[in-house]
Amino acid sequence: MTKVIAIMSMSLDGFVADAADGVEEVFDWYFGSGDVVVETGGSDSMTFTMSEPSAEHFRSLTSGLGAVLTGRRTFDVAQGWGGNHAWGPAFVVTHEVPDGWPRPDSSVHFVTDGIASAVEQAKAAADGRDVGVHGADTIQQLLNAGLLDELSIDVAALLLGSGVRLFDHLDATPAVLGDPTVTQGVGVTHLRYPVRRK
């Protein structure tokens, strides 16, 4: 069964970006926590160097993905992933399709009729595999709508103090999660929680 999995790095105090919207600090573990080389693929292929536990966690998680779901802000910051996300077709929840999109030979799709429609389209495109989710606002919307199956949170070993919080606008709290799977990396702890549906 296809799962919808939130995949985010955050600081220990819950921020996914700093006050200037920078994300470098929470993603440092991707770029120098070890000597295991991980290639992402996609149009904007990146090379990471991680510790062995982080690389194993990352490969295990991303190898099961068939599509990605995100919001417009993440799409803009990532510059549209060069037109093709490494995890498969990307579905961007937005009120308005950006100028110059959609593009030929791109697997980026824009969903203007809501988060539930975006999940339905991403699941269909994933073809039995899982859907990865980026973006704090998108993750909050999915949690509020009861459409998220799992949280995969990479907790970086730092305190940012301010910025963009991952869990800022939740409607139904407390939200009880299942028991986590924990992987200790270098400078990061990887947590995977099943989301319990009410």
Side-chain angles (χ1 to χ4, degrees):
M1 184 178 93
T2 298
K3 291 190 293 184
V4 179
I5 304 172
I7 302 171
M8 287 294 289
S9 284
M10 73 176 189
S11 63
L12 181 59
D13 53 347
F15 296 97
V16 297
D18 63 25
D21 216 22
V23 297
E24 293 82 10
E25 300 97 334
V26 295
F27 286 101
D28 273 352
W29 66 271
Y30 275 78
F31 299 101
S33 64
D35 56 6
V36 179
V37 176
V38 177
E39 299 282 344
T40 63
S43 294
D44 64 341
S45 183
M46 298 180 76
T47 301
F48 303 138
T49 52
M50 305 176 183
S51 68
E52 181 60 46
S54 290
E56 187 175 318
H57 162 79
F58 183 82
R59 288 178 179 140
S60 171
L61 179 63
T62 59
S63 66
L65 300 177
V68 65
L69 173 61
T70 190
R72 174 67 185 273
R73 179 176 173 200
T74 301
F75 166 84
D76 288 342
V77 170
Q79 299 177 344
W81 312 282
N84 293 288
H85 197 286
W87 299 345
F91 294 83
V92 181
V93 181
T94 184
H95 295 292
E96 192 173 302
V97 176
D99 291 340
W101 293 86
R103 295 180 180 169
D105 301 321
S106 171
S107 61
V108 177
H109 308 275
F110 298 91
V111 182
T112 58
D113 58 345
I115 196 78
S117 176
V119 168
E120 187 177 316
Q121 292 178 53
K123 280 184 168 183
D127 195 26
R129 301 178 85 193
D130 294 330
V131 175
V133 183
H134 289 312
D137 185 64
T138 304
I139 291 168
Q140 291 165 24
Q141 288 182 57
L142 290 168
L143 280 167
N144 288 337
L147 296 172
L148 197 65
D149 299 300
E150 185 176 319
L151 290 167
S152 178
I153 307 299
D154 306 305
V155 181
L158 84 147
L159 302 169
L160 284 178
S162 64
V164 179
R165 284 194 184 277
L166 179 52
F167 301 115
D168 219 11
H169 304 287
L170 299 181
D171 295 338
T173 54
V176 180
L177 307 174
D179 293 333
T181 300
V182 181
T183 303
Q184 181 179 333
V186 174
V188 65
T189 302
H190 308 286
L191 304 171
R192 292 183 72 169
Y193 291 94
V195 176
R196 292 183 178 168
R197 302 276 175 93
K198 291 187 176 183

